């Protein structure tokens, strides 16, 4: 063999790893700062956020719903399985999430319900971005064509005005794709483009809703309420600005008060604007059996019932689109969901020019060929693309995503929607449960233990002890570089449990030394020369070493899959360090032993550590 080649490969691995540590994965700060691993909550403290569950009517959510929500939130924050967040239920309606370090960005979107709905666009009232929120002293005027959107919904995934596309399916009927909505060629008209939602489309109001509507009726006054109830279509303010005066009190309503109104009233009343619609509570437009009102591109739009929902999606995954170079979220539908999706796209594709959805899309976009289907996530319309064919294949949500926001949306869809809605409670900084001093004490104890192992190795194996010592050093450097890089790129958090996993792996590494060296002694005892005994001992020992390490890795994988939190971190650390130890075994230990076998020191019983085995072999030589 050529040991120099294997050592060169190991050197190249070290160079690449530490180049990644110092210059990749968002590395910043001084070189010392770049060598800091990501520490867990028990070592450095972190951020704690509280989410308060609420259901309609102020009822207490069931224990089953809270436990399901806790599990979904934990899956979201531990999407990679190694960040070791603490997610616990407190009381009847609180879920507390604790993450190591400053985690405000990670915590802010955890409570989003992630209810995805696909709805046909059936109406639009045009630009309502400049609707006054206070009763006007003069007649309200229509929004100018150049008005900047102030109340349009922003996608929760961080995308700005994304659109949906679809990968054409070879087995699809008619092929086609869902294309990005074109830029409007003309200012949308404020004239009504579709009938208001009919009474048959609305679910009966609950007693709580009736009480809330009564309170709103009292606030706006009998005259304004009566005028709103008589509306059967949106009021056209572009031709008659004074037509909005009777409805001025509705501009004073909050988002929660607007949510108490029927979709018919939300859509038809001209002084209810996008700001109020966006301020409605979570879950405001989740009902799949009714039409709903939302905002998109500053326009108030009417959406039909939702025949396709997030539960119809089998898998969502972030992907980098090869043609556009942009991040997208790919959607694979379940069998039944694919059938529903094909039926919805067929309805949009085959609509005629007199259908409400066609008129609505024409009003919103100026020039269209087919109806549009809105992709709704919670309260936000994240896209409303036109349908260019009957779709049966894989579809995509596209937009101004980056890798993080695309993955976040995919994770929300994969892990499911929260069974109850949450509002964000207080967030605070928490101190470490163990602290840096305990970490330093633990590392000091580990160093002392490793030093004792090295002393014993030199005493028992002498020259071979240097192989043990150097192997442990190299394995430690590989492990340290890997955990720093993984902490920065995939969120691996080093906790006390993880440190325990790394220390346990040292025992596995020590076992492989014993197996190899004792096999080497057996070969020499059988009469072979040290130079001949090294490769033969390696050939026999490596099978045992691989088997022992494979069992450890398999146990770590199983433990990682079936566990959560700190135990999962222990399993990850144990598996990672065992894999890295195997790399050191094959690329350093065997090559260096081959090199040592050619030295005079290795042939000396007093220096090599082979002791009386070499003396016996020298008095009774045999052919190797």
């Amino acid at each position: 063999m050529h040991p120099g080649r294997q050592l060169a490969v190991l050197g190249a691995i070290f160079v690449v790893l530490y180049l990644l540590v110092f210059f990749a994965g968002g590395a910043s700060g001084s070189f010392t700062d770049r060598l800091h691993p990501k520490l867990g909550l028990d070592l450095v403290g972190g951020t704690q956020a509280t989410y308060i569950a609420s259901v309609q009517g102020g009822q207490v959510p069931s224990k089953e719903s809270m436990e399901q929500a806790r599990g979904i939130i934990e899956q979201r924050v531990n999407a990679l399985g190694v960040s070791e967040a603490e997610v616990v239920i407190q009381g009847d309606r609180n879920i507390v999430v604790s993450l190591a370090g400053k985690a405000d960005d990670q915590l802010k979107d955890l409570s989003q319900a992630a209810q995805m709905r696909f709805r046909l666009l059936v109406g639009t009232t045009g630009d309502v971005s400049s609707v006054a929120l206070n009763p006007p002293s003069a007649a309200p005027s229509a929004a100018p064509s150049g008005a900047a959107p102030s109340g349009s919904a922003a996608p929760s995934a961080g995308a700005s005005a994304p659109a949906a596309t679809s990968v054409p399916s070879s087995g699809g009927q008619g092929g086609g794709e869902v294309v990005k909505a074109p830029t409007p060629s003309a200012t949308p008209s404020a004239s009504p483009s579709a009938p208001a939602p009919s009474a048959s489309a609305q679910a009966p109001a609950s007693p709580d809703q009736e009480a809330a509507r009564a309170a709103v009726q009292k606030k706006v006054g009998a005259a304004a309420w009566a005028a709103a109830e008589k509306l059967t279509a949106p009021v056209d303010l572009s031709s008659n600005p004074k037509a909005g005066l009777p409805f001025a009190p509705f501009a004073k309503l909050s988002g929660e008060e607007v949510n108490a109104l029927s979709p018919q009233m939300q859509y038809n009343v001209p002084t209810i604007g996008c700001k109020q619609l966006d301020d409605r509570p979570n879950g405001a437009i989740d009902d799949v059996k009714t039409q709903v009102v939302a905002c998109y591109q500053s326009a108030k739009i009417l959406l039909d019932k939702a025949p396709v929902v997030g539960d119809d999606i089998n898998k969502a995954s972030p992907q980098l689109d090869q043609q556009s170079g942009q991040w997208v979220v790919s959607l694979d539908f379940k069998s039944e969901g694919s059938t529903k999706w094909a039926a919805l796209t067929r309805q949009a594709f085959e609509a005629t020019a007199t259908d409400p959805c066609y008129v609505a899309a024409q009003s919103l976009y100026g020039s269209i060929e087919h109806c549009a289907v809105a992709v709704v996530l919670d309260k936000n319309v994240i896209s409303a693309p036109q349908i260019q064919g009957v779709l049966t294949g894989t579809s995509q949500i596209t937009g101004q995503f980056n890798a993080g926001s695309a993955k976040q949306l995919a994770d929300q869809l994969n892990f499911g929607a929260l069974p109850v809605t949450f509002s964000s409670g207080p967030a605070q900084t928490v101190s470490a449960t163990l602290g840096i001093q305990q970490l330093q004490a633990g590392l000091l104890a580990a160093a002392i233990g490793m030093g004792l192992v090295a002393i014993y190795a030199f005493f028992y194996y002498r020259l071979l002890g240097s192989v043990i010592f150097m192997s442990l050093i190299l394995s430690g450097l590989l492990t340290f570089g890997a955990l720093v890089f993984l902490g920065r790129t995939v969120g691996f958090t080093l906790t006390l449990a993880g440190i325990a996993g790394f220390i346990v792996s040292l025992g596995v590494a020590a076992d492989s030394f014993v197996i190899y060296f004792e096999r080497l002694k057996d070969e020499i005892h059988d009469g072979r020369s040290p130079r001949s005994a090294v490769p033969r001992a390696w050939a026999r020992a490596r099978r045992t070493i691989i088997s022992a390490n494979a069992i450890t890795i398999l146990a770590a994988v199983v433990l990682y899959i079936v566990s959560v939190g700190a135990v999962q971190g222990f399993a990850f650390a144990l598996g990672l360090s065992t894999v890295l130890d195997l790399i050191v075994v094959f690329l350093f230990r065997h090559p260096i032993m081959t090199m040592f076998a050619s030295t005079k020191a290795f042939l000396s019983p007093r220096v090599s550590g082979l002791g009386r085995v070499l003396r016996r072999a020298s008095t009774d030589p045999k052919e190797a």
Side-chain angles (χ1 to χ4, degrees), residues 170-252:
S170 58
Q173 299 179 9
E177 60 181 10
V178 183
V179 298
K180 185 176 181 180
T183 303
S185 58
T187 303
S189 169
S191 59
S193 60
S198 62
S200 60
Q202 311 307 321
S206 66
D208 292 325
Q209 288 177 315
E210 291 291 351
R213 289 178 186 177
V216 173
Q217 180 179 357
K218 182 178 180 181
K219 182 173 181 178
V220 299
W225 185 267
E229 282 190 318
K230 293 178 181 179
L231 293 176
T232 58
V235 176
D236 184 4
L237 296 182
S238 61
S239 59
N240 183 15
K242 293 184 178 181
L245 285 177
F247 311 101
F250 284 91
K252 284 185 174 183

Side-chain angles (χ1 to χ4, degrees), residues 260-271:
L261 304 178
S262 66
Q264 179 185 20
M265 199 171 288
Q266 293 177 23
Y267 181 61
N268 292 335
V269 174
T271 51

Side-chain angles (χ1 to χ4, degrees), residues 196-542:
S198 62
S200 60
Q202 311 307 321
S206 66
D208 292 325
Q209 288 177 315
E210 291 291 351
R213 289 178 186 177
V216 173
Q217 180 179 357
K218 182 178 180 181
K219 182 173 181 178
V220 299
W225 185 267
E229 282 190 318
K230 293 178 181 179
L231 293 176
T232 58
V235 176
D236 184 4
L237 296 182
S238 61
S239 59
N240 183 15
K242 293 184 178 181
L245 285 177
F247 311 101
F250 284 91
K252 284 185 174 183
L253 299 181
S254 66
E256 188 169 353
E257 290 170 330
V258 167
N259 188 53
L261 304 178
S262 66
Q264 179 185 20
M265 199 171 288
Q266 293 177 23
Y267 181 61
N268 292 335
V269 174
T271 51
I272 295 178
C274 285
K275 176 65 169 62
Q276 294 161 290
L277 294 174
D278 293 341
D279 287 343
R280 289 174 296 180
N282 291 335
I285 58 174
D286 285 347
D287 193 346
V288 300
K289 298 179 180 179
T290 65
Q291 293 181 327
V292 297
V293 180
C295 276
Y296 183 64
Q297 295 185 357
S298 303
K300 191 160 60 172
I301 59 175
L302 175 64
L303 304 174
D304 206 356
K305 300 176 183 179
V308 185
V309 298
D311 289 340
D312 294 319
I313 298 173
N314 182 48
K315 182 181 178 182
S317 57
Q319 294 181 356
L320 189 62
D321 187 75
Q322 298 300 320
Q323 294 182 347
S324 64
Q326 300 294 320
W327 282 95
V328 300
V329 178
S330 178
L331 305 178
D332 290 323
F333 289 94
K334 300 175 183 177
S335 177
E336 184 178 354
S338 181
T339 302
K340 294 178 183 178
W341 178 236
L344 178 61
T345 55
R346 181 180 293 107
Q347 179 184 358
F349 179 68
E350 296 177 354
T352 64
T354 58
D355 286 330
C357 66
Y358 190 95
V359 178
Q362 180 77 36
S363 177
L364 184 64
Y365 296 127
S367 176
I368 61 117
E369 297 177 357
H370 303 285
C371 294
V373 171
V375 182
V376 185
L377 182 66
D378 295 333
K379 298 184 298 179
N380 301 317
V381 178
I382 63 174
S383 78
Q386 297 174 45
I387 301 300
Q388 299 295 320
V390 180
L391 305 176
T392 59
T394 300
S395 297
Q396 294 177 338
I397 302 175
T398 67
Q400 295 180 5
F401 292 108
N402 55 33
S405 60
K407 181 183 181 305
Q408 180 185 29
L409 177 57
D411 288 342
Q412 288 177 331
L413 297 177
N414 285 329
F415 298 140
L418 296 178
V420 292
T421 58
F422 287 85
S423 58
S424 297
Q428 58 184 349
T429 301
V430 295
S431 59
T433 55
L434 294 177
I436 293 298
Q437 291 183 346
Q438 284 78 2
L439 172 62
Q440 293 173 345
L443 293 178
L444 177 61
I448 293 174
M450 192 170 179
L452 293 174
V453 170
I455 292 173
Y456 179 81
F458 280 115
F459 176 78
Y460 189 79
Y461 288 113
R462 300 185 185 178
L463 179 64
L464 297 182
S466 63
V467 178
I468 298 175
F469 182 74
M470 287 186 292
S471 295
L472 292 178
I473 293 296
L474 292 175
S475 182
L477 291 174
L478 275 178
T479 301
F480 180 78
L483 71 90
V484 171
F485 180 69
L486 292 175
R488 201 161 54 223
T489 55
V490 302
F492 176 74
T493 304
L494 182 63
T495 63
L496 193 61
I499 294 175
F502 289 126
I503 293 176
V504 169
S505 70
L506 294 177
V508 178
D511 287 343
S512 63
F513 285 111
V514 174
I515 293 170
Y516 187 17
F517 293 161
E518 294 304 317
R519 173 58 66 180
L520 178 61
K521 289 183 178 181
D522 290 342
E523 294 294 331
I524 296 175
H525 185 271
D526 289 341
R528 293 179 176 81
S529 66
R531 182 177 298 181
S532 175
V534 166
R536 290 182 66 88
W538 167 249
R540 295 187 176 184
R542 68 185 175 190

Side-chain angles (χ1 to χ4, degrees), residues 53 59-63 65-66 89-95 422:
Q59 301 174 1
V60 176
S62 66
K63 291 182 179 180
S65 297
M66 288 295 291
I89 299 174
Q90 287 187 354
D92 294 330
R93 59 175 70 229
N94 294 344
I95 291 182
F422 287 85

